[in-house]
Amino acid sequence: MSLRIVVCVKYVPDATGDRHFADDLTLDREDVDGLLSELDEYAVEQALQIAEAADDAEITVLTVGPEDAKDALRKALSMGADKGIHVEDDDLHGTDVFGTSLVLAKALEKAGYDLVVCGMASTDGTMGVLPALLSERLGVPQVTLLSEVSVGGGVVKGRRDGDAASEQLEAQLPAVVSVTDQSGEARYPSFKGIMAAKKKPVESWDLEDLDIEAGEVGLGGSWSVVEDASARPARTAGTIVTDEGEGGKQLAEFLAGQKFI
């Protein structure tokens, strides 16, 4: 029987872009470019390696987000995943991590899975709790923050590296795992992979397909609320030291005044 691997990926705003809040205190996505979360690329890579080591495996990439989130799926498909699922619905606007975990769990149950692979966190929210929430909602084991992962004999095994020691962990499938940015560099899509991704199937589902009420997600269903936000202060010109023979001394005095030395 084919090993069914599902990788949960997120379409995030480019961290190098100039990001702003909309009137409802959600991110104004119209004002910034988006891309596949870099930390999720490691999850795709590990899924590909697991599939390559298996006799028979299929990789599905799953995302929740606006229309442009398909770009994140296409990136993962161009890396080598087999198919994609995009959950999109206007009522999802403003959904927090708890609502997102509900949508992903329902989608995973509908799609079918043996192994769910996630990145260690998203590069925008950086909460890192989604894999645990998925594990709880699905009622399956979680093996998280792995720097090494493998699957064999119906068991997923991995190594979690801590500050003082490393742990060897394992769980029976089905299971949820997350991998860190130390698990191995993600491959670059080849030209052949990019062209092939255009022909790979991507299913589109909405809340009705997943039997989720609009009130369970979106801003109204969020467990967390942003009450206020202000723009970051503009960067000041800073202190300019003109070196006329005393530049080093002035620099040292400035650093000492800021308690850097």
Side-chain angles (χ1 to χ4, degrees):
M1 183 176 178
S2 176
L3 176 66
R4 299 168 300 172
I5 305 172
V6 182
V7 187
C8 296
V9 301
K10 189 176 184 182
Y11 180 73
V12 299
D14 189 342
T16 63
D18 190 13
R19 292 166 287 178
H20 302 282
F21 285 105
D23 292 339
D24 60 1
L25 296 181
T26 62
L27 181 71
D28 186 354
R29 287 186 173 269
E30 298 296 327
D31 201 36
V32 62
D33 292 332
L35 71 169
L36 171 62
S37 177
E38 181 183 1
L39 292 173
D40 289 343
E41 292 186 18
Y42 295 98
V44 175
E45 175 61 34
Q46 291 307 306
L48 291 169
Q49 291 189 25
I50 291 169
E52 288 164 358
D55 293 332
D56 185 17
E58 181 180 63
I59 300 175
T60 302
V61 282
L62 167 64
T63 194
V64 177
E67 173 66 24
D68 289 344
K70 282 190 173 68
D71 292 343
L73 293 179
R74 291 298 178 193
K75 174 67 178 293
L77 292 172
S78 68
M79 291 172 66
D82 299 299
K83 61 182 182 179
I85 297 173
H86 179 204
V87 181
E88 179 189 10
D89 197 297
D90 290 342
D91 288 323
L92 285 168
H93 174 72
T95 301
D96 65 3
V97 67
F98 300 101
T100 299
S101 70
L102 170 64
V103 175
L104 287 173
K106 292 283 191 178
L108 286 163
E109 289 172 342
K110 180 178 174 66
Y113 65 93
D114 298 304
L115 179 67
V116 180
V117 187
C118 306
M120 61 187 289
S122 63
T123 54
D124 55 350
T126 65
M127 294 182 68
V129 299
L130 179 66
L133 292 173
L134 280 181
S135 169
E136 177 67 19
R137 289 190 183 277
L138 295 170
V140 301
Q142 59 167 314
V143 187
T144 54
L145 300 176
L146 302 179
S147 54
E148 184 179 276
V149 60
S150 63
V151 173
V155 175
V156 57
K157 299 180 180 181
R159 189 186 76 242
R160 178 190 294 155
D161 295 325
D163 292 336
S166 294
E167 300 173 282
Q168 296 292 335
L169 308 170
E170 65 177 59
Q172 291 286 332
L173 298 180
V176 175
V177 304
S178 70
V179 298
T180 73
D181 55 357
Q182 301 302 307
S183 58
E185 287 298 318
R187 68 193 66 186
Y188 288 102
S190 64
F191 177 75
K192 181 180 179 181
I194 294 172
M195 297 305 295
K198 296 179 179 180
K199 298 180 181 180
K200 293 179 179 179
V202 175
E203 292 189 65
S204 294
W205 296 344
D206 58 17
L207 293 180
E208 184 178 356
D209 292 322
L210 301 178
D211 195 27
I212 297 174
E213 298 293 332
E216 298 179 85
V217 294
L219 283 173
S222 292
W223 293 20
S224 56
V225 177
V226 178
E227 294 185 344
D228 189 32
S230 58
R232 181 173 54 190
R235 179 179 293 181
T236 60
T239 301
I240 299 175
V241 176
T242 302
D243 188 4
E244 296 178 348
E246 296 289 325
K249 180 180 178 181
Q250 293 179 60
L251 178 59
E253 290 174 348
F254 172 80
L255 292 174
Q258 300 296 317
K259 301 187 183 302
F260 292 141
I261 58 174

